[in-house]
Amino acid sequence: MAEKTPRRDFLKAAAALGLGFAVGSWALALSRGKAVVEVTSEQVKEVRVKPEVQVQQVQAPTTTTAAAPPHPAFQKKGLAFLDPANIQATLRVLVPEDQLPSMPVGYNINDIDWIAILIESRYHEPGAEMVGSYTFLDMKNFKILKRLKNAGDRVHVVRFGREEWPEHKRRFVLGMSRDCWLSKIDLYSMQIVRQIKIGVDCRSATFDKDGKYIIAGSKDPGHVVILEADTFKVLKVIPMLGTSKFFPTPMMGRQGAILTTDFGYWLVNVKDDEQVLVIDYRDPSFPIVHVFTSYDPNKMGRSVKVKIDDKEYEVTGIGKSPHELNKLDKEGRYVAVTGQESSTVTIIDAKNFEVVNVVPCGLKPHPGPGTLVPGKYFMVNAIGEGKITVINLQTMDLEKYITYPREFPADTGGGLYSTPPLPDGTVPNGLAWFDTSFNINKGIFAVDVNTLDIAPSPPKAAIFASNKPGKWAMHPGYTPDGKYVISALERTDTVYKVDASTGEIVGEIRLKEIEPVQLVEEPSPTGIFALWRIKAPWF
C-alpha cells in the first residue's frame, strides 16, 4: 500500500502543473539513448526501433535507473510528432472553404438526417496511396452517393458538431484514419477540404462544445493535439505519461476514446497508464485539471477483483485498458469508462471529479456508442462472450446481465456495438439492436429495453452469415424514422437494411458493384455514422 501513494502524488502533481506530462515524456524519450527520429527541414524520417528504456522510478526518485519491461507502448516510431511544427508542416488545404456551395449537392437539405457516412476501412483500388474511404450513404433510398478516397490509411471514425452551432460550422465533420490523417469533411459538397497528420497510429478526434477547437489523440507517439477547428492550426501538444497499478513503470500511454462534456472539459482515455485526463478547453492554455487513475477509490466502496495474466488486482478506479467513454446524461456529468482488459465499467462524475462506482461486465466490454435509455439504463455489449451488461442509471450499479439468444451461442463470442437512442431520447419500439461481431454467427438481434430481455419474435434475429469466423457484423443504427436498422458485415462488401418490426433483411448494398473497379481486397464496411447524430446530445 505504501508504494501507491508516491505514484499517485506524482500523477496529481503532474496534473496540477499540466506541463509535467510534456516534460516527463520528453525525458522518457531522451533517456532511450538512441536516435529515434531524424528531423530535417524537408521531412520527418521515422525510424522504427525497439529501445531499451531507462526511466527513474517514480516512487523512489533516488533509485538507480533500470530497464523497463518489454511493452508495446515503449516501441514508438512517431516521436517527431511531439513537435507542433512537424505536425503543422503536414497541413494541406484541398478546397478553400470560401469556394464551397451554400447548399448540399447530391441530396436535398430536408433529407440531411437520412444521410450517413459509412466507413469502408479496406477500400483499396490498385495503385492507391491509402486504403479506405469515407462513403456517403443515402439511407432513405438505400444507395451510395459518393466515396471520399485516399483520405488516410484505414479510415476509422467520424465525429459531428452540434445542432445549435451556426450553419457554417455545423456543415463540417471530422474524420480520423488509423495512420493519423485528421480530415475536415464538408457535408454539403461531400468532399474533404483540409487534412493534417498528427502521428502514426490514431483512432479518435472531437470538437469542443462550441466548435472552436479540436482535440485529436494517438496511440503512437501517445499524445493529444489541440487545434483551431476552422484552420487546423496546432495550438498545443500534450504527451501522455503516467503509471498504473497494472504496470507501474512510467510510460507514454496510448490514447483511447475522447469525449466532450458540457462542463468545459475534454475527457481523454489513456491506455497502458489507466488514466482519464480532464482537459479544460475553456482556458486557452488547455491545462490538465484532473486525472482519474487506477488508484482512485470510489464513493460506493466497490472493489472488483480481476485476474489478468497471472496476477490478481482489485479495481476501484479506472480499469485496465480504458477504451470507450460514454455519456450517461445529456451534459456528460456522469460518464462510463470501459476497462476492456479488466472487464469493468467505471462510472465517474466529470463535474465533481469523483469515481462513483465500478461495475463488473461481460468479458472485454465494448459499448461503442452504447444503448442509453435516458434516465433509466445503459447497456454494454462484450467482445469475449455473448453477455450484455445493464447498468441502472438511478443506482449507478449493475441491474442485470442478458445472455445472447440461441441463434448466437453465447460461448462462441460477443459483439461490439448497439443502437443508440434517437435525438429525442427515444428507443424506437422499445427495441435496442446488438451486433454479434465476434460470435460464430454474424448478425443483429433486438433487446426489449422495458423487460430487459431478448425481444420476442417478431422481430426475429437478422442473420447475415452463419459459422463465419473472421467476418464481423458491425455498427447497427436506426434510420431517423425508427423503422429500419442499417448494419454491415466487415471483411465483406455488404451493407444491410433490416426491418426493425420484423427482423427481415429488406435491402443489401454490394459495395464492390458501385464502381467498375477491380479492388485489391474486400471494402470491409464498418462504422455507419448517421447525420441525425448532429441533433443528439448523447455523443
Side-chain angles (χ1 to χ4, degrees), residues 457-483:
S457 183
K460 65 179 183 180
I463 298 178
F464 304 154
S466 298
N467 196 20
K468 289 289 185 182
K471 311 293 184 184
W472 297 1
M474 298 284 286
H475 240 289
Y478 273 106
T479 54
D481 61 0
K483 293 182 178 180

Side-chain angles (χ1 to χ4, degrees), residues 156-230:
H156 184 70
V157 74
V158 174
R159 291 289 180 261
F160 298 102
R162 296 187 174 211
E163 185 180 25
E164 62 266 27
W165 293 359
E167 185 181 15
H168 73 274
K169 283 185 173 292
R170 192 174 64 239
R171 65 182 288 171
F172 296 109
V173 302
L174 300 176
M176 176 61 84
S177 64
R178 289 179 180 248
D179 67 340
C180 296
W181 279 104
L182 177 67
S183 296
K184 182 181 181 181
I185 302 171
D186 177 37
L187 297 176
Y188 287 6
S189 62
M190 296 186 288
Q191 60 185 333
I192 296 170
V193 298
R194 287 176 186 262
Q195 286 190 305
I196 194 168
K197 185 174 173 65
I198 71 154
V200 298
D201 187 3
C202 291
R203 293 296 185 273
S204 190
T206 195
F207 296 101
D208 70 318
K209 179 185 175 183
D210 301 316
K212 186 176 181 180
Y213 304 115
I214 294 167
I215 184 170
S218 74
K219 291 188 172 185
D220 187 346
H223 67 349
V224 291
V225 180
I226 299 170
L227 312 94
E228 286 184 353
D230 292 339

Side-chain angles (χ1 to χ4, degrees), residues 316-479:
T316 60
I318 304 303
K320 181 165 175 54
S321 192
H323 186 69
E324 303 278 4
L325 288 164
N326 294 87
K327 281 184 174 182
L328 301 180
D329 52 66
K330 289 183 179 181
E331 294 80 19
R333 174 178 177 177
Y334 294 104
V335 175
V337 185
T338 305
Q340 278 198 337
E341 298 304 321
S342 56
S343 296
T344 56
V345 162
T346 301
I347 300 171
I348 61 175
D349 181 339
K351 182 179 180 180
N352 296 316
F353 301 155
E354 294 178 323
V355 178
V356 178
N357 198 12
V358 178
V359 178
C361 298
L363 183 62
K364 204 168 185 181
H366 191 290
T371 293
L372 181 69
V373 186
K376 294 182 178 180
Y377 305 111
F378 180 61
M379 298 182 173
V380 182
N381 211 340
I383 292 172
E385 61 180 323
K387 179 192 286 188
I388 298 163
T389 303
V390 182
I391 297 173
N392 186 314
L393 298 183
Q394 297 300 311
T395 64
M396 293 297 177
D397 208 348
L398 176 67
E399 178 71 18
K400 68 174 295 187
Y401 299 114
I402 302 172
T403 302
Y404 275 22
R406 56 182 176 78
E407 292 90 343
F408 305 102
D411 61 350
T412 67
L416 288 169
Y417 303 100
S418 59
T419 52
L422 294 178
D424 62 0
T426 60
V427 176
N429 303 312
L431 300 177
W433 291 78
F434 288 76
D435 70 25
T436 64
S437 306
F438 293 91
N439 198 271
I440 190 66
N441 297 328
K442 314 300 179 180
I444 58 176
F445 65 89
V447 169
D448 188 317
V449 301
N450 296 308
T451 64
L452 300 182
D453 207 344
I454 302 300
S457 183
K460 65 179 183 180
I463 298 178
F464 304 154
S466 298
N467 196 20
K468 289 289 185 182
K471 311 293 184 184
W472 297 1
M474 298 284 286
H475 240 289
Y478 273 106
T479 54

Side-chain angles (χ1 to χ4, degrees), residues 115-176:
I115 307 303
I117 298 179
L118 166 70
I119 298 295
E120 293 184 76
S121 65
R122 296 174 185 267
Y123 183 86
H124 190 182
E125 293 183 356
E129 176 188 358
M130 301 173 183
V131 177
S133 169
Y134 299 106
T135 300
F136 279 76
L137 169 67
D138 178 347
M139 295 187 292
K140 177 181 282 188
N141 300 297
F142 205 50
K143 66 178 183 179
I144 299 300
L145 297 177
K146 188 177 182 179
R147 281 183 169 123
L148 307 185
K149 309 169 188 176
N150 280 324
D153 199 41
R154 301 289 305 281
V155 295
H156 184 70
V157 74
V158 174
R159 291 289 180 261
F160 298 102
R162 296 187 174 211
E163 185 180 25
E164 62 266 27
W165 293 359
E167 185 181 15
H168 73 274
K169 283 185 173 292
R170 192 174 64 239
R171 65 182 288 171
F172 296 109
V173 302
L174 300 176
M176 176 61 84

Side-chain angles (χ1 to χ4, degrees), residues 67-314:
H71 193 285
F74 290 116
Q75 300 180 28
K76 304 293 186 181
K77 60 178 181 177
L79 290 178
F81 289 96
L82 295 176
D83 185 343
N86 290 330
I87 298 173
Q88 197 67 64
T90 68
L91 175 67
R92 50 194 189 192
V93 180
L94 306 178
V95 183
E97 285 84 349
D98 60 4
Q99 296 180 15
L100 296 172
S102 60
M103 295 292 286
V105 176
Y107 63 90
N108 190 302
I109 186 67
N110 296 322
D111 290 334
I112 194 168
D113 288 351
W114 285 89
I115 307 303
I117 298 179
L118 166 70
I119 298 295
E120 293 184 76
S121 65
R122 296 174 185 267
Y123 183 86
H124 190 182
E125 293 183 356
E129 176 188 358
M130 301 173 183
V131 177
S133 169
Y134 299 106
T135 300
F136 279 76
L137 169 67
D138 178 347
M139 295 187 292
K140 177 181 282 188
N141 300 297
F142 205 50
K143 66 178 183 179
I144 299 300
L145 297 177
K146 188 177 182 179
R147 281 183 169 123
L148 307 185
K149 309 169 188 176
N150 280 324
D153 199 41
R154 301 289 305 281
V155 295
H156 184 70
V157 74
V158 174
R159 291 289 180 261
F160 298 102
R162 296 187 174 211
E163 185 180 25
E164 62 266 27
W165 293 359
E167 185 181 15
H168 73 274
K169 283 185 173 292
R170 192 174 64 239
R171 65 182 288 171
F172 296 109
V173 302
L174 300 176
M176 176 61 84
S177 64
R178 289 179 180 248
D179 67 340
C180 296
W181 279 104
L182 177 67
S183 296
K184 182 181 181 181
I185 302 171
D186 177 37
L187 297 176
Y188 287 6
S189 62
M190 296 186 288
Q191 60 185 333
I192 296 170
V193 298
R194 287 176 186 262
Q195 286 190 305
I196 194 168
K197 185 174 173 65
I198 71 154
V200 298
D201 187 3
C202 291
R203 293 296 185 273
S204 190
T206 195
F207 296 101
D208 70 318
K209 179 185 175 183
D210 301 316
K212 186 176 181 180
Y213 304 115
I214 294 167
I215 184 170
S218 74
K219 291 188 172 185
D220 187 346
H223 67 349
V224 291
V225 180
I226 299 170
L227 312 94
E228 286 184 353
D230 292 339
T231 65
F232 278 15
K233 178 183 177 181
V234 179
L235 301 175
K236 188 171 183 178
V237 174
I238 307 176
M240 299 183 293
L241 176 69
T243 67
S244 163
K245 68 166 63 174
F246 305 102
F247 194 88
T249 303
M251 70 172 75
M252 288 171 63
R254 297 170 292 170
Q255 172 263 324
I258 304 175
L259 181 72
T260 302
T261 77
D262 288 3
F263 300 104
Y265 305 125
W266 283 311
L267 306 182
V268 182
N269 274 348
V270 186
K271 294 187 173 185
D272 312 311
D273 301 340
E274 278 68 58
Q275 297 175 350
V276 179
L277 307 184
V278 183
I279 300 173
D280 190 337
Y281 58 72
R282 300 162 299 181
D283 185 331
S285 67
F286 306 108
I288 298 171
V289 296
H290 185 77
V291 182
F292 292 97
T293 78
S294 58
Y295 301 106
D296 290 340
N298 60 78
K299 290 176 65 176
M300 293 191 180
R302 176 71 56 78
S303 176
V304 177
K305 293 183 179 180
V306 300
K307 186 173 183 179
I308 302 171
D309 298 326
D310 60 344
K311 295 183 178 181
E312 291 187 352
Y313 303 90
E314 292 188 358

